[in-house]
Structure formats: structure tokens, C-alpha cells
Amino acid sequence: QVQLVQSGAEVKKPGASVKVSCKASGYTFTGDYIHWVRQAPGQGLEWMGWINPSSGGTNYAQKFQGWVTMTRDTSISTAYMELSRLRSDDTAVYYCARERLMVVTANGDYYGMDVWGQGTMVTVSS
Amino acid sequence: EIVLTQSPGTLSLSPGERATLSCRASQSVSGTYLAWYQQKPGQAPSLLIYGASSRATGIPDRFSGSGSGTDFTLTISRLEPEDFAVYYCQQYGSSPSYTFGQGTKLEIK
């Protein structure tokens, strides 16, 4: 079945970097964008950016430009999200999600994030 | 950046009742990219509605989405116990940027 499996929980000190992986299976990895979304404890969802696994092209939310890097390794169908210069308020669950073209209509193309990873808890603490 | 404001923040209802959740955008959103997600405690979000009104695969028909421009609505016609969760709307803006609303918690009354 189609799934995204993320790497395990991480504990980091302030100022360090963290790299989270997201391994895709059950579909053509290069066919759909992968997004990264984070959720601080008790808070809502925050979009971080996407990567096009086919080209490696990326688009980051303005807030994260300069300190997030999204990459991929097509040989193992895995996307990565690296966040540098970690602070305590980066403590969150980080999710990857596949964005799929759901349907093409006369009114336009409809997309949705239809498959999500299980989430990776990143704790930043001294 | 388009800001999505969801209301109410918390909605307390009983099973069998009808739920109406609102998502208002700070500027007009293309209906082709307005989605709704459900998140249960300890789980990843899951796609409910895409294109403002189309149900994702496997989503029961008691869930429906509507709206256009700046006002969108998610309606659950008759609440089942498993529907009590947090719901988020999401949009894809004219620049390639995505935003989520802050969420509506649907709780059992």
C-alpha cells in the first residue's frame, strides 16, 4: 500500500541541526511533490515547504528560508528535511505528506495531501 | 500571505447532531485549492475534502464541503462518535505558498 515512513524521534541541543527522512513506498516517488508540515505541542499545523522529487526543485515558506533544506534521494525513494540552528520553539512533530493531483476538471486541477507520514518528534532542549 | 481564520475555535455537539465549521480567507481563494483535513489525537492529519467540495477516497457522505471566494464551510450532517477531532482548512495561494487555518476542535457535549 501507499505509505510514507519517517525516521525516529530526535533530541537536539539549541544551535544544532536535525535531518528527518521520509521513505515512500507503493507509488512512483518522482510522480508527486512531498511537503513538510510541523506541529508544535498543542498547536496547529504549519506548512514548511515542498520538494519536487523528480527535479529536486524546492519551495520554502518565507519563514523557513535560509534555515531549512529539503532534499531527496530517488534511488531509495526518500525525501529529507534538514532544519539548522535549532531553537527550543522548533520542538514539534514534523510530518511529510504527499501532494497528489486528485482530479482534472474544466475548472482546474484539484490537489490534496492524501498520504501523510506518521510524524517525527523533534525535541530541542539544553 | 493569505490568512485562514476558522470558527468556532471549539464546537461542542452531541452524536447525531449537525456540525458546521467555517473557514474564512483574508483574500479570495481559488476553490480548486481549498482542502479540509481531520486530525485525531496522536495521529497525522488525513485528507477529507479537496477542491472545496470533493470528498477524498473513503470519506463518508455525511461530510460535505462548500463555499467560494473567501468563505468556505465543512458540514458534518449527523455526527458519529469517530468524528470528534480537530479540523483544519488549507489553501494554496497565488504565489506557491500554502497556509492552514488554526483549527476547529469538535468535542462531545
Side-chain angles (χ1 to χ4, degrees), chain A residues 44-63:
Chain A
L45 303 172
E46 182 176 31
W47 179 75
M48 301 178 69
W50 56 249
I51 182 167
N52 178 346
S54 179
S55 67
T58 56
N59 178 57
Y60 305 141
Q62 188 170 11
K63 171 179 178 177

Side-chain angles (χ1 to χ4, degrees), chain A:
Chain A
Q1 74 279 25
V2 177
Q3 60 178 352
L4 299 173
V5 178
Q6 299 183 222
S7 49
E10 302 264 13
V11 179
K12 297 290 184 181
K13 293 194 181 301
S17 298
V18 68
K19 190 171 186 178
V20 179
S21 68
C22 170
K23 182 172 179 58
S25 62
Y27 74 100
T28 301
F29 176 62
T30 53
D32 300 296
Y33 285 19
I34 294 288
H35 291 250
W36 290 89
V37 176
R38 75 177 185 179
Q39 185 171 38
Q43 302 301 308
L45 303 172
E46 182 176 31
W47 179 75
M48 301 178 69
W50 56 249
I51 182 167
N52 178 346
S54 179
S55 67
T58 56
N59 178 57
Y60 305 141
Q62 188 170 11
K63 171 179 178 177
F64 295 98
Q65 288 178 7
W67 58 302
V68 71
T69 304
M70 297 178 188
T71 57
R72 91 295 189 214
D73 184 338
T74 57
S75 69
I76 56 171
S77 299
T78 300
Y80 302 92
M81 185 284 300
E82 184 171 19
L83 196 59
S84 61
R85 305 191 302 277
L86 290 168
R87 308 183 322 180
S88 58
D89 59 1
D90 293 317
T91 293
V93 176
Y94 289 76
Y95 293 103
C96 60
R98 177 182 81 166
E99 182 184 36
R100 165 137 289 206
L101 174 59
M102 306 301 287
V103 67
V104 177
T105 75
N107 295 323
D109 300 342
Y110 292 12
Y111 289 84
M113 296 183 188
D114 70 331
V115 179
W116 293 67
Q118 82 277 19
T120 297
M121 182 70 211
V122 175
T123 302
V124 183
S125 174
S126 56

Side-chain angles (χ1 to χ4, degrees), chain B:
Chain B
E1 177 182 293
I2 295 177
V3 176
L4 299 179
T5 301
Q6 293 185 240
S7 60
T10 301
L11 185 57
S12 299
L13 294 170
S14 301
E17 291 192 291
R18 180 185 185 91
T20 303
L21 287 66
S22 173
C23 175
R24 177 162 290 179
S26 58
Q27 53 188 283
S28 185
V29 172
S30 167
T32 60
Y33 211 92
L34 191 289
W36 289 91
Y37 297 84
Q38 178 191 67
Q39 187 178 33
K40 297 180 179 179
Q43 297 184 16
S46 60
L47 179 65
L48 283 177
I49 300 285
Y50 61 89
S53 60
S54 297
R55 279 186 299 276
T57 302
I59 301 303
D61 60 7
R62 65 179 181 272
F63 290 90
S64 63
S66 63
S68 64
T70 59
D71 290 295
F72 298 87
T73 300
L74 175 69
T75 301
I76 311 171
S77 59
R78 288 180 58 86
L79 285 166
E80 297 287 342
E82 62 268 26
D83 299 337
F84 292 91
V86 180
Y87 293 84
Y88 295 94
C89 58
Q90 179 217 10
Q91 68 82 35
Y92 166 80
S94 55
S95 61
S97 177
Y98 296 67
T99 52
F100 290 92
Q102 83 280 15
T104 290
K105 181 179 181 180
L106 179 55
E107 65 177 24
I108 299 177
K109 187 174 182 179

